């Protein structure tokens, strides 16, 4: 496991609910990780996809709740994990980029008195929308908040939970949908990587459009923008913060970046790749879809080119692709084989111990004045 000491927290962080749960979460996450890494069992039970445990302080503090949570079937349980309502907005890029739908979350009124930091969050290859959502922005399942339909019900549970987790900490959150406007609302995972029309250049352009949009919003601190992504979206994070690429005029900088289990192959092959922003990259040591070894190679290459680069790599032994989720481990057979992975079968699913450690690490990274 590649691990560096957690940076001490010396500056105020975004507002959050009362209670000193963070220090307990970090301590518990670290101790649970150290104790569980050696005895890790990859088939750790977890709830089904339709009943994930919430990304809340309680969930962080109780790692067993990830694998033993009961289905959130009651109204009270659903309310406990419901994020603040989302607003559906339109992002306009350049002439070659269609207008994208994005989902904008703000902390609850009164949660913070100062200009808001922002997280721009980029979805994975499975898309942003839940399976029940339709391209026209409607869904068979609706959520009503204060008498109005909450459009966050259109999103996959993972992304709704992260929006809730981040807004609780005083962040505004923008989640652009890169796929629906291009006719692929439910993803491109089954498409061969080299044949995808929606590639990392496309998604980088979307990320830049999202950065420009958030910088124009009132009550936003454009100097505190975090770019975060998962899998295919994490590859877009790498492409966006690549300092060898030009930065468009009028686009605010990314203060720090977070990448969950990206495919690092292309960045490794790009010998000019350098970091424009501090980066936290988290990946499972057993990931057979986007191998951790390539990301370790990328870290070494970047640090050789940029001795002062802030590139933190966390590899969680025994964890697979999607370890921060709550689905049971299962094999996907719809993923095209790659050059270094002859099989079309990959393992995906949540890992209770790695999830706790990663959320504590993410919390610390976001809070640190000098990541």
């Amino acid at each position: 496991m590649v691990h560096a000491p957690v940076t001490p927290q010396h500056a105020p962080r975004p507002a959050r609910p009362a209670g000193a749960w963070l220090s307990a979460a970090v301590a518990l996450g670290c101790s649970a990780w150290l104790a569980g890494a050696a005895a890790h069992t990859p088939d750790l039970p977890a709830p089904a996809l339709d009943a994930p445990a919430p990304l809340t302080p309680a969930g962080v503090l109780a790692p067993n709740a990830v694998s033993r949570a009961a289905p959130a079937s009651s109204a009270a349980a659903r309310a406990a994990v419901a994020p603040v309502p989302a607003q559906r907005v339109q992002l306009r890029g350049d002439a070659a980029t269609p207008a994208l739908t994005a989902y904008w979350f703000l902390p609850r009124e009164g949660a913070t008195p100062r200009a808001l930091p922002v997280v721009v969050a980029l979805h994975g290859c499975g898309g942003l929308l839940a399976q029940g959502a339709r391209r026209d922005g409607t869904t068979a399942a609706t959520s009503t908040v204060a008498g109005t339909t909450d459009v966050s019900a259109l999103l996959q549970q993972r992304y709704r939970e992260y929006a809730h987790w981040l807004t609780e900490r005083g962040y505004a959150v923008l989640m652009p949908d890169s796929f629906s406007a291009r006719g692929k609302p439910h993803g491109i995972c089954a498409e061969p990587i080299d044949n995808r029309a929606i590639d990392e250049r496309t998604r980088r352009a979307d990320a830049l459009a999202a950065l420009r949009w958030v910088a124009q919003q009132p009550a936003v601190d454009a100097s505190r923008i975090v770019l975060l992504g998962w899998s295919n979206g994490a590859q877009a994070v790498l492409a966006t913060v690549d300092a060898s690429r030009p930065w468009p005029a009028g686009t605010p900088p990314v203060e720090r970046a977070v990448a969950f289990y990206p495919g690092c192959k292309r960045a490794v092959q790009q010998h000019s790749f350098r970091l424009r922003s501090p980066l936290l990259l988290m990946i499972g040591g057993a990931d057979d879809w986007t191998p951790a070894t390539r990301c370790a190679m990328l870290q070494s290459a970047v640090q050789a080119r940029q001795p002062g680069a802030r590139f933190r790599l966390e590899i969680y032994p025994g964890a697979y692709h999607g370890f921060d989720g709550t689905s049971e481990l299962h094999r996907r057979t719809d993923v095209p084989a790659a050059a270094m992975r002859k099989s079309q079968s990959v393992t995906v699913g949540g890992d209770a111990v790695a999830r706790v450690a990663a959320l504590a690490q993410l919390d610390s990274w976001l809070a640190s004045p000098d990541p």
Side-chain angles (χ1 to χ4, degrees):
M1 175 175 176
V2 179
H3 185 76
V6 174
T7 305
Q9 300 173 24
H10 297 299
R13 64 186 309 156
R16 64 174 62 207
W21 61 268
L22 172 59
S23 58
V26 174
L28 179 58
C30 293
S31 62
W33 181 250
L34 292 172
H40 179 85
T41 54
D43 59 347
L44 189 68
L49 278 169
D50 60 351
L55 291 173
T56 60
V60 172
L61 286 169
N64 288 339
V66 177
S67 59
R68 301 176 186 173
S73 57
S74 68
R78 288 193 299 271
V81 302
V84 293
Q87 177 185 358
R88 192 160 47 204
V89 300
Q90 292 292 308
L91 309 181
R92 300 195 179 275
D94 55 32
T97 304
L100 302 181
T101 298
Y103 297 82
W104 179 233
F105 299 82
L106 292 170
R108 297 190 186 280
E109 188 174 355
T112 177
R114 55 188 181 275
L116 297 171
V118 184
V119 174
V120 173
L122 307 180
H123 60 75
C125 70
L128 181 64
L129 303 182
Q131 286 300 314
R134 293 184 283 266
R135 186 179 173 185
D136 62 0
T138 62
T139 179
T142 59
S143 173
T144 302
V145 178
T148 62
T149 300
D150 176 15
V151 296
S152 69
L154 298 169
L155 310 187
Q156 292 182 35
Q157 183 78 9
R158 171 195 296 269
Y159 302 124
R160 296 203 309 270
E161 289 183 352
Y162 265 99
H164 179 60
W165 191 88
L166 289 162
T167 54
E168 277 192 332
R169 286 150 181 79
Y171 287 88
V173 181
L174 182 70
M175 294 186 170
D177 181 353
S178 286
F179 293 169
S180 293
R182 298 181 172 101
K184 299 179 184 291
H186 298 305
I188 59 173
C189 296
E191 297 180 11
I193 292 177
D194 293 336
N195 296 336
R196 290 176 179 174
I198 305 174
D199 57 16
E200 67 175 31
R201 291 171 295 181
T202 304
R203 298 216 61 191
R204 182 178 191 265
D206 292 350
L208 294 172
L211 294 174
R212 289 191 289 271
W213 187 90
V214 298
Q216 297 170 359
Q217 304 313 302
V220 161
D221 184 349
S223 69
R224 301 174 65 197
I225 300 177
V226 179
L227 186 63
L228 182 152
W230 297 267
S231 195
N232 183 264
Q235 287 177 237
V237 169
L238 296 182
T240 303
V241 300
D242 176 8
S244 72
R245 306 187 190 201
W247 193 254
T251 304
V254 173
E255 187 210 16
R256 63 191 75 191
V258 181
F260 279 98
Y261 34 88
C264 292
K265 178 182 177 181
R266 289 192 177 181
V268 168
Q269 293 174 336
Q270 182 186 330
H271 300 303
S272 59
F273 185 95
R274 294 177 292 112
L275 286 181
R276 186 181 297 275
S277 309
L279 174 67
L280 169 64
L281 194 158
M282 294 182 280
I283 195 164
D287 196 318
D288 55 2
W289 193 347
T290 56
T293 51
R294 294 175 186 164
C295 295
M297 292 169 61
L298 179 63
Q299 184 195 42
S300 297
V302 168
Q303 291 179 336
R305 295 180 198 124
Q306 294 175 279
R310 289 175 287 175
F311 188 148
R312 179 162 185 153
L313 173 63
E314 294 289 337
I315 300 177
Y316 299 103
Y320 289 91
H321 202 81
F323 65 82
D324 62 322
T326 55
S327 66
E328 293 183 356
L329 283 180
H330 60 282
R331 300 291 292 175
R332 286 193 63 160
T333 59
D334 61 338
V335 179
M340 294 181 66
R341 176 177 48 77
K342 302 303 181 183
S343 171
Q344 286 191 228
S345 177
V346 296
T347 307
V348 296
D351 183 298
V353 177
R355 173 183 164 98
V356 169
L359 287 175
Q361 184 61 251
L362 176 59
D363 212 13
S364 176
W365 176 263
L366 294 176
S368 171
D370 186 24

